[in-house]
Amino acid sequence: MKIAVIQFEPIFNQKDKNLSKIHSYINNIDAQLLIFPELCLTGYYFLNREEVNEVAETSNSDFIMELQSLSSRINKGIVLGFPEKDYKKQYNSCCVILPDENKSRIYRKTHLFYKERFCFDPGDSGFFVIDYPEWDVNIGPMICYDWRFPESARTLALKGADLIVCPSNLVTNVWQSALSTRALENNVYIAVSNRIGSETRNGETLLFNGDSTIYDYKGNVLVKAGPDDEKVIKVDIEPKKTRLKSFNEFNDIFKDRRPDMYKIK
Ligand code: ACM
């Protein structure tokens, strides 16, 4: 199965421009699953809930419906970050759109970073895994700052993920060794799609530092983009190889767990 991570610079509040770029990537990249950055439909640095509300999409908006019909027509999966609204709530979400629309779902970011708390509600979807028999893969989404919590990747792996997809807008470099470790300790692939460029709001600049990476299930870097280049990175993965959790005759990283010893009194 071939997966691709798209590293690019979404332009703040230029939804149409961003969307036409996204569509052109979807149409032109030869891979089954395409993973785009967090909030890449709109850009990242919102200051308040009202700003988000103006551009947020509902789960049944034309934007989602069009991505779904495109996905079904060309048989490609699309993971993509966007601001979502649902009645009075709004979320930093990503859609996992698969050609079989019954499998498509939206993940709502669990752990909110920095000033996101002024713009979004904490996600309520929980961590889930989508099994996609046609490609023999189990896909688990998380978003950016979720990486800081080993529970995110662990939960996805225990729920059966072979591949963790992580749309991101990372503003530090400290995540790289952590995500390599998350891949190793869970024996899963991890695909981090980060954006590049910067956004300045109210005199504060956030610099997004690229380095999008796909890790194999031993924590090795399979392919990596640079810190500031627009780039598509692609790799063939073998999802079923992640399912054997033993690494010698006696040890299995899941069966050896001792959850009763992890209880905090
Ligand atoms: C982040 O969660 N965008 C760092």
Side-chain angles (χ1 to χ4, degrees):
M1 171 186 186
K2 188 166 291 212
I3 65 171
V5 160
I6 298 94
Q7 173 171 297
F8 78 111
E9 179 172 5
I11 309 301
F12 188 72
N13 253 348
Q14 305 251 354
K15 239 163 123 171
D16 291 347
K17 237 186 207 164
N18 295 333
L19 192 56
S20 80
K21 191 152 195 171
I22 288 164
H23 273 266
S24 124
Y25 276 127
I26 295 170
N27 283 312
N28 291 308
I29 297 170
D30 174 28
Q32 280 143 307
L33 186 67
L34 313 183
I35 303 138
F36 289 88
E38 177 184 13
L39 290 175
C40 67
L41 178 65
T42 54
Y44 177 78
Y45 200 4
F46 296 102
L47 297 177
N48 54 54
R49 293 183 69 91
E50 292 70 34
E51 281 189 355
V52 171
N53 195 265
E54 269 175 37
V55 295
E57 300 282 348
T58 60
S59 60
N60 60 357
S61 64
D62 289 349
F63 154 70
I64 294 286
M65 295 301 159
E66 280 163 21
L67 279 184
Q68 181 62 64
S69 61
L70 180 60
S71 164
S72 303
R73 193 169 72 247
I74 64 179
N75 201 33
K76 291 180 188 172
I78 304 155
V79 179
L80 187 151
F82 71 102
E84 185 196 357
K85 61 181 163 193
D86 185 9
Y87 298 97
K88 288 202 167 4
K89 301 276 193 183
Q90 44 202 49
Y91 303 100
N92 180 340
S93 295
C94 76
C95 52
V96 183
I97 307 249
L98 292 159
D100 173 355
E101 68 179 298
N102 297 315
K103 295 282 183 171
S104 298
R105 287 187 69 173
I106 290 174
Y107 168 69
R108 296 170 169 168
K109 187 177 186 178
T110 302
H111 305 97
L112 296 181
F113 178 69
Y114 197 47
K115 295 180 183 171
E116 289 172 24
R117 66 194 57 228
F118 306 124
C119 306
F120 298 102
D121 295 286
D124 61 354
S125 61
F127 293 101
F128 58 82
V129 172
I130 305 173
D131 82 293
Y132 205 69
E134 194 188 326
W135 299 336
D136 191 17
V137 68
N138 297 287
I139 303 164
M142 63 185 199
I143 298 179
C144 202
Y145 180 57
D146 285 333
W147 77 264
R148 276 264 182 186
F149 304 85
E151 295 88 345
S152 309
R154 184 58 125 195
T155 303
L156 290 170
L158 289 173
K159 286 188 165 191
D162 314 310
L163 166 65
I164 293 177
V165 289
C166 187
S168 296
N169 280 189
L170 289 148
V171 293
T172 66
N173 286 310
V174 291
W175 52 274
Q176 301 189 22
S177 55
L179 281 178
S180 160
T181 303
R182 297 292 89 79
L184 170 78
E185 71 198 0
N186 291 299
N187 208 65
V188 293
Y189 290 97
I190 300 184
V192 182
S193 180
N194 196 18
R195 61 162 288 178
I196 52 168
S198 64
E199 289 180 12
T200 302
R201 305 291 317 281
N202 265 1
E204 184 185 25
T205 300
L206 296 182
L207 177 67
F208 304 100
N209 47 26
D211 282 341
S212 296
T213 306
I214 303 173
Y215 300 91
D216 73 8
Y217 51 91
K218 298 290 171 220
N220 300 309
V221 172
L222 288 176
V223 57
K224 181 172 179 172
D228 51 16
D229 50 343
E230 179 165 342
K231 184 145 189 184
V232 177
I233 53 174
K234 282 197 281 189
V235 76
D236 283 309
I237 63 166
E238 295 180 86
K240 67 169 176 287
K241 289 211 166 161
T242 66
R243 294 172 203 161
L244 181 67
K245 301 296 185 185
S246 63
F247 61 94
N248 66 34
E249 195 179 348
F250 305 110
N251 291 111
D252 178 298
I253 58 170
F254 279 9
K255 291 191 185 132
D256 291 346
R257 294 178 67 249
R258 301 277 313 277
D260 48 326
M261 292 288 139
Y262 310 151
K263 290 208 175 101
I264 298 156
K265 293 181 180 87

